[in-house]
Amino acid sequence: MKTYHTHSRKHIFFIWEGKSMSFLRAMTLISFRNHHKDWDITLITFNSNLNTLQQLSKHRKFCDIQTNILSELSREDEFDNLSLCKDANINIVDFYKEYSNVPGIKNALVNHKKDLLNWYLLSKNNCVVADMDILFTGSLDREYNTFLKSNAEFGTVCYKRLPKKNYISVSLMFGKESEFCEELFYKGIKNYDASVYESCGSHLFPPSFSEKIHDPACERFFSISEELIFPLTTKMTIKEAMNTQYNTNYIFSSQDLPLVSILADYNILNLNKTAGIHWYGGNLKSQKFNNRITHENYKDNNTFISYFIKKNYTK
């Protein structure tokens, strides 16, 4: 059995494909640092002249992404909020200087570069990788420490019910120099299809993975708690939200994100277990909110997300 050395500082990698950064994206980094004072944080950026919209618009079949969603995504190039993270002690790395020689990545679309690089990082390090559309509300330490003490080499969330049954998330993943992640990395390169959004992401998991990760006899994989990252999505119906593991009544409005009565003080989240809210940047309504909220107006918003921004950002 492979021996893992876990004495070094905990390390998380974030990857950002945009030319600049919205306030809500910057809050991913700021909120993570607020709850993880002793972790190393690395942000890998793509300082490319081609923005995401220009690249994705070449592939019309691309994950059924609508033109208006692409347009909203491209608006993030109007903002530059990385300077807000200056006190968060983040190591910023340019992909093209540090990782462009990794085989198979250079010619992929930027979002596929991110997916491939995630597998590469998990195969080479003891680390965590996370998406840039998570607002952290607590610490990963308890769950990650359990993973480090286990015999598992890879961990992720495979939802038993919501957002949908056996949905395997790639928004937050744990790895220990994972051979499994190395296998997925090379599989993604070999079978690369630029027209498929998840070509290098969740589509790479073998059909049996959802069974194995929930099988206590399978020590290779670690099932991250479904409660660790709250799957906030405007695609949930009221009935679905009320039947989540939180058993709480959610109020959905016609606004961009779910509103909650009396904000978040009445057990909206199981705050003893939940470390973050995944607000799904690929969702049109969430992306519009992302483009609208700023470090100047966030105090004027009474949405579910803005409540936790106020807890993490007080400037």
Side-chain angles (χ1 to χ4, degrees):
M1 181 177 294
K2 189 173 182 178
T3 300
Y4 300 107
H5 302 282
T6 60
H7 60 276
S8 59
R9 283 169 61 92
K10 296 168 185 173
H11 196 174
I12 188 168
F13 290 88
F14 295 96
I15 302 171
W16 179 234
E17 313 99 299
K19 293 167 63 179
S20 55
M21 185 178 293
S22 69
F23 172 66
L24 193 51
R25 303 280 188 186
M27 281 306 306
T28 294
L29 304 172
I30 293 169
S31 62
F32 186 86
R33 173 55 77 202
N34 285 349
H35 296 286
H36 304 83
K37 301 295 186 183
D38 58 347
W39 284 54
D40 290 331
I41 304 175
T42 295
L43 174 67
I44 302 173
T45 63
F46 293 82
N47 294 321
S48 171
N49 292 326
L50 279 178
N51 66 32
T52 303
L53 177 62
Q54 288 173 324
Q55 294 204 32
L56 299 188
S57 62
K58 297 177 182 178
H59 300 276
R60 301 313 305 165
K61 296 191 300 179
F62 197 83
C63 185
D64 298 325
I65 293 181
Q66 299 174 6
T67 302
N68 52 0
I69 297 180
L70 291 177
S71 179
E72 289 294 332
L73 286 169
S74 73
R75 282 195 57 208
E76 291 203 45
D77 289 338
E78 300 173 10
F79 312 110
D80 188 6
N81 289 281
L82 188 56
S83 62
L84 300 176
C85 307
K86 62 181 183 298
D87 297 327
N89 190 23
I90 296 167
N91 178 36
I92 301 176
V93 174
D94 186 337
F95 167 84
Y96 291 100
K97 292 181 179 179
E98 300 293 332
Y99 295 101
S100 61
N101 291 329
V102 176
I105 293 184
K106 187 174 182 179
N107 295 323
L109 292 175
V110 287
N111 64 294
H112 291 146
K113 281 185 174 71
K114 185 210 75 168
D115 290 334
L116 289 170
L117 190 54
N118 274 340
W119 302 126
Y120 180 82
L121 293 169
L122 292 167
S123 73
K124 299 297 182 182
N125 303 277
N126 291 353
C127 69
V128 177
V129 298
D131 283 354
M132 287 289 293
D133 54 359
I134 298 173
L135 182 66
F136 288 92
T137 60
S139 174
L140 300 179
D141 278 317
R142 181 164 54 185
E143 190 82 358
Y144 188 54
N145 286 340
T146 303
F147 167 74
L148 291 177
K149 294 174 183 177
S150 74
N151 292 322
E153 63 172 89
F154 172 70
T156 191
V157 180
C158 180
Y159 292 95
K160 292 182 179 179
R161 289 188 297 161
L162 295 173
K164 59 183 179 180
K165 187 175 181 180
N166 292 330
Y167 169 72
I168 304 169
S169 172
V170 293
S171 62
L172 179 85
M173 299 184 286
F174 302 164
K176 301 177 196 160
E177 299 177 5
S178 171
E179 294 177 357
F180 175 73
C181 291
E182 185 176 43
E183 294 168 8
L184 296 189
F185 172 72
Y186 285 110
K187 180 181 178 181
I189 293 171
K190 181 180 179 182
N191 300 328
Y192 181 59
D193 184 346
S195 69
V196 178
Y197 181 69
E198 288 290 352
S199 174
C200 303
S202 60
H203 284 192
L204 296 178
F205 287 107
S208 61
F209 181 79
S210 59
E211 295 180 8
K212 289 183 178 179
I213 196 170
H214 289 137
D215 183 355
C218 180
E219 294 187 333
R220 189 181 189 188
F221 304 126
F222 180 85
S223 179
I224 297 176
S225 169
E226 293 185 28
E227 292 181 301
L228 189 67
I229 301 297
F230 178 70
L232 173 62
T233 169
T234 52
K235 293 180 181 179
M236 283 186 185
T237 66
I238 293 177
K239 182 178 180 180
E240 287 174 331
M242 291 176 65
N243 287 323
T244 64
Q245 61 269 38
Y246 305 101
N247 294 317
T248 308
N249 293 334
Y250 295 93
I251 301 176
F252 283 73
S253 76
S254 60
Q255 298 186 33
D256 293 341
L257 290 172
L259 296 179
V260 186
S261 60
I262 319 300
L263 294 176
D265 290 328
Y266 290 89
N267 295 322
I268 292 167
L269 301 174
N270 185 340
L271 292 177
N272 291 322
K273 295 182 179 180
T274 301
I277 303 165
H278 186 195
W279 50 271
Y280 288 92
N283 180 281
L284 177 59
K285 292 183 178 180
S286 296
Q287 185 61 33
K288 283 185 174 181
F289 181 87
N290 175 37
N291 289 339
R292 190 173 68 244
I293 195 166
T294 70
H295 69 284
E296 296 173 334
N297 68 19
Y298 74 95
K299 291 183 179 179
D300 299 327
N301 282 269
N302 289 319
T303 61
F304 184 84
I305 282 284
S306 61
Y307 173 83
F308 288 100
I309 292 175
K310 294 169 188 176
K311 283 182 168 292
N312 279 280
Y313 190 77
T314 57
K315 294 183 181 180

